[in-house]
Amino acid sequence: MTDGGARPEPVRMRLIDHVGPRDAVFLYAISAVLVLCGPVMLGFALFTAADLMVMGVVFTVVFVPVGLGLWGNTVVEREQNRRLDAVGVPATAEITDLTDFASDGESSGVEVGLRVSGPGLRTFETTWRRTYHPALRLGRRLAAVVDLSGGRFRIEL
């Protein structure tokens, strides 16, 4: 008996960047610099009567939210990576398509078509935009980790 031509519901997965401890330290340091540069400039202007008050206010208003956002994003990515390491299922991501792209003329990269499959995992296809890497070629299989309950995966390159 047929199901009336109903198509299976697509699998929705989100790619997570690998943020290791060394990467996290760098991102936290950048965040701290962004958060502190405006207030430090304001303090310097107040205590030395330098003409940095306007720049200190501008840096504070602009860079503090950016630094806090970067810090928060790093915390979330580290948490997602820890979860993938703890409960992730090993999988294989096969490169099915490679397309060059140039988003703004300066930065260019490659859009990688992937077919991710593994034991106990419903196969799904997705795309991954990243900078060019010489190891990316059609048909290559990359190691992946998939969190079935969280809807996230990570590619190991």
Side-chain angles (χ1 to χ4, degrees), residues 117-136:
S117 60
L121 172 67
R122 192 166 131 198
T123 301
F124 64 94
E125 294 190 9
T126 187
T127 57
W128 177 28
R129 281 188 149 199
R130 60 158 293 132
T131 56
Y132 175 77
H133 191 283
L136 297 174

Side-chain angles (χ1 to χ4, degrees), residues 31-49:
S31 299
V33 168
L34 287 172
V35 168
L36 294 175
C37 70
V40 166
M41 194 178 291
L42 276 174
F44 184 73
L46 288 173
F47 292 117
T48 64

